[in-house]
Amino acid sequence: MTVRAMDGERVRRSAMLPPNLQPFGVTREQAAGLLSISPSLFDSAVEAGTMPQPRVLRGRNIWDIDELWASFRALPHKVEVASDLDEAQRQGNAFDNAKKG
């Protein structure tokens, strides 16, 4: 989205903010990009409850950066292959389990 600066020049809204100011809300595509996954995979993670639901402002979906960060930190770490086949394997998260079913 663009707005007009005082001198009449068109400027993107994001360019109006200081470059070192981190956003606290992002779009679906930006949220997926932060996680290095596709938007469709992000949608699946939201549906499965692994990633948070968006907040809504006048019909726009906006994801909270802190909630994304907390959801990412709650994802399990990859488990190394067990040396003993009888050893219990760690269960997947809700997102992985939803993909299997």
Side-chain angles (χ1 to χ4, degrees):
M1 177 171 272
T2 58
V3 295
R4 292 207 183 272
M6 293 186 72
D7 62 3
E9 184 180 332
R10 299 190 99 197
V11 179
R12 288 189 56 82
R13 284 190 195 269
S14 59
M16 295 170 47
L17 298 172
N20 62 343
L21 178 64
Q22 297 298 314
F24 45 84
V26 294
T27 66
R28 168 184 168 260
E29 291 80 9
Q30 291 169 325
L34 287 170
L35 296 165
S36 298
I37 60 175
S38 70
S40 61
L41 183 56
F42 179 75
D43 292 343
S44 297
V46 171
E47 186 176 316
T50 304
M51 287 293 127
Q53 291 290 321
R55 297 185 181 265
V56 180
L57 177 62
R58 298 187 85 185
R60 290 200 54 194
N61 291 331
I62 304 169
W63 275 265
D64 182 303
I65 292 288
D66 291 332
E67 292 174 359
L68 288 168
W69 178 248
S71 295
F72 175 75
R73 297 292 299 211
L75 292 173
H77 290 258
K78 183 176 179 178
V79 178
E80 292 185 24
V81 177
S83 59
D84 182 5
L85 295 177
D86 293 331
E87 189 175 338
Q89 294 287 326
R90 193 169 178 182
Q91 296 297 315
N93 58 47
F95 175 58
D96 291 333
N97 293 338
K99 289 194 313 187
K100 294 175 188 173

